[in-house]
Amino acid sequence: MRNPLATLSADDRALLRRRLRTPVLTFLALLALLAVNVTLGTTLPFAKVWIVELLVVAVMVALILLVSMEVIHEPPLIRLFSGIGFFWVAIMFGMTLTDYLAR
């Protein structure tokens, strides 16, 4: 079986590397933030660790929203509505969590 990357020219390989740099770096950043969140959750280094965990989750959501969903390249109105959509989902999760915790 032949390697499909072997048939690419040097320019095509460079273009492929440039195009894949952002998604791979985003993936690695999300994995690192997940590791930070899991470590904070398992060790509980201080009493108000949940605030730091929420900040880490907010950074993860921002990365997904801006890079993976490519909202950063959209007009401001679309950015506004995508942010409002994520905020609305957060409200719904909060209401569901409140319902489960209150029972």
Side-chain angles (χ1 to χ4, degrees), residues 12 25 38 40 46 95:
D12 289 339
L25 289 177
V38 168
L40 287 174
F46 49 91
M95 290 172 70

Side-chain angles (χ1 to χ4, degrees), residues 4-103:
L5 294 177
T7 60
L8 293 176
S9 68
D11 292 336
D12 289 339
R13 272 190 235 121
L15 178 65
L16 185 62
R17 244 183 263 117
R18 271 196 317 271
R19 294 273 172 100
L20 286 178
R21 183 178 300 138
T22 302
V24 168
L25 289 177
T26 303
F27 176 70
L28 292 175
L30 287 171
L31 280 180
L33 289 169
L34 177 65
V36 167
N37 223 359
V38 168
T39 304
L40 287 174
T42 56
T43 59
L44 295 172
F46 49 91
K48 300 283 185 183
V49 71
W50 62 272
I51 296 171
V52 178
E53 289 175 345
L54 282 178
L55 291 173
V56 170
V57 168
V59 170
M60 291 172 76
V61 167
L63 272 173
I64 291 170
L65 187 68
L66 295 175
V67 179
S68 296
M69 294 177 64
E70 297 181 355
V71 172
I72 200 164
H73 302 295
E74 297 295 332
L77 189 62
I78 292 178
R79 280 188 246 169
L80 173 70
F81 278 99
S82 62
I84 290 171
F86 266 87
F87 183 68
W88 182 250
V89 168
I91 289 173
M92 297 302 285
F93 274 114
M95 290 172 70
T96 304
L97 183 63
T98 302
D99 182 45
Y100 278 113
L101 292 176
R103 290 182 187 199

